[in-house]
Amino acid sequence: KAGVTQTPRYLIKTRGQQVTLSCSPISGHRSVSWYQQTPGQGLQFLFEYFSETQRNKGNFPGRFSGRQFSNSRSEMNVSTLELGDSALYLCASSFTSGSQDEQFFGPGTRLTVL
Amino acid sequence: QQQVKQSPQSLIVQKGGISIINCAYENTAFDYFPWYQQFPGKGPALLIAIRPDVSEKKEGRFTISFNKSAKQFSLHIMDSQPGDSATYFCAATLLGDYKLSFGAGTTVTVRA
């Protein structure tokens, strides 16, 4: 069974630009969550999508947005990039059967903002 | 604010020794406490998880101890091996929720 796939794996952008990151969940998984990982703040929850609907959102500015498609693939977008947005962005998928299903993380997209 | 506090930041243990990582949480509504293991260049992977209705859970060399009244839980890695060298994160959430609140992480180095 293929794992969670994230593309691209590495990105370099400059301040003020925008970026779109992509996540393909494990086949059959309907929930996709996004996390930001930095040395200073650790792992922080961005948002979670289930059946194309955002179910939960973390404490991030509106520059961070996401969406989920009917095939459960998800994208997150960051507009007007700031230096502090440099981070590893992780996507996790879950089956969601109503109980606590394991979240499977992808390898992440390393974003560097110059 | 950090809802889950984790310590120590790093630890070094000899092969065969015991690694102990501690976490404390603020939100008494949390009812699911997973531990994740992360290797360089990889995403975190679920190691073991516990619910507050049990005080201890063991899976192989990994044991979670849970103290509900103190709002604390810990991970014990018995007979530590060099392959256990990784960063470990405790987390907490509400059962059925997928918004994990993570601790800051502990880098474990196992010396052969």
Side-chain angles (χ1 to χ4, degrees), chain A residues 9 31 33 35 37 43 45 48 55-57 88 90 94 96 99-103 105-107, chain B residues 2 32 36 38 41-46 89 93-104:
Chain A
R9 292 293 312 278
S31 168
S33 300
Y35 292 83
Q37 185 174 22
L43 279 151
F45 174 82
E48 186 234 345
R55 290 203 298 193
N56 217 333
K57 190 177 191 309
L88 180 68
L90 291 160
S94 304
T96 70
S99 60
Q100 191 67 34
D101 293 303
E102 179 178 350
Q103 291 193 55
F105 282 82
Chain B
Q2 195 86 31
Y32 180 74
Y36 285 83
Q38 185 176 30
K42 304 284 188 183
L46 179 67
F89 295 92
T93 189
L94 302 174
L95 192 66
D97 196 351
Y98 291 89
K99 177 182 177 180
L100 291 166
S101 294
F102 281 92

Side-chain angles (χ1 to χ4, degrees), chain B:
Chain B
Q1 69 281 16
Q2 195 86 31
Q3 294 202 64
V4 180
K5 290 182 168 57
Q6 183 173 348
S7 64
Q9 186 175 351
S10 63
L11 68 91
I12 298 172
V13 63
Q14 292 295 122
K15 179 182 175 182
I18 302 173
S19 304
I20 301 174
I21 305 169
N22 299 300
C23 287
Y25 62 97
E26 299 286 331
N27 188 348
T28 54
F30 285 148
D31 56 5
Y32 180 74
F33 301 88
W35 284 87
Y36 285 83
Q37 179 189 56
Q38 185 176 30
F39 293 104
K42 304 284 188 183
L46 179 67
L47 193 60
I48 186 173
I50 197 168
R51 292 197 59 197
D53 51 350
V54 298
S55 61
E56 187 175 281
K57 183 175 181 180
K58 183 176 179 179
E59 287 185 5
R61 297 183 292 107
F62 300 91
T63 299
I64 301 179
S65 297
F66 189 87
N67 186 331
K68 187 175 181 178
S69 60
K71 294 188 291 184
Q72 294 176 347
F73 57 112
S74 60
L75 176 70
H76 294 229
I77 306 173
M78 314 299 285
D79 187 25
S80 296
Q81 300 297 312
D84 297 332
S85 296
T87 301
Y88 293 81
F89 295 92
C90 61
T93 189
L94 302 174
L95 192 66
D97 196 351
Y98 291 89
K99 177 182 177 180
L100 291 166
S101 294
F102 281 92
T106 298
T107 300
V108 173
T109 302
V110 181
R111 294 260 163 89

Side-chain angles (χ1 to χ4, degrees), chain A residues 5-69:
Chain A
T5 305
Q6 292 188 246
T7 56
R9 292 293 312 278
Y10 303 91
L11 262 181
I12 299 176
K13 293 285 188 179
T14 55
R15 277 183 300 175
Q17 288 187 309
Q18 77 163 20
V19 68
T20 298
L21 312 182
S22 181
C23 172
S24 293
I26 292 172
S27 178
H29 285 193
R30 297 167 63 193
S31 168
V32 173
S33 300
W34 288 88
Y35 292 83
Q36 182 195 64
Q37 185 174 22
T38 61
Q41 299 298 317
L43 279 151
Q44 293 188 286
F45 174 82
L46 280 155
F47 25 67
E48 186 234 345
Y49 288 87
F50 178 79
S51 292
E52 302 178 66
T53 301
Q54 186 181 87
R55 290 203 298 193
N56 217 333
K57 190 177 191 309
N59 189 25
F60 278 81
R63 300 185 296 107
F64 292 82
S65 63
R67 58 178 176 168
Q68 186 181 33
F69 302 95

Side-chain angles (χ1 to χ4, degrees), chain A residues 62-76:
Chain A
R63 300 185 296 107
F64 292 82
S65 63
R67 58 178 176 168
Q68 186 181 33
F69 302 95
S70 58
N71 61 359
S72 294
R73 191 177 69 85
S74 177
E75 289 181 345
M76 68 163 281

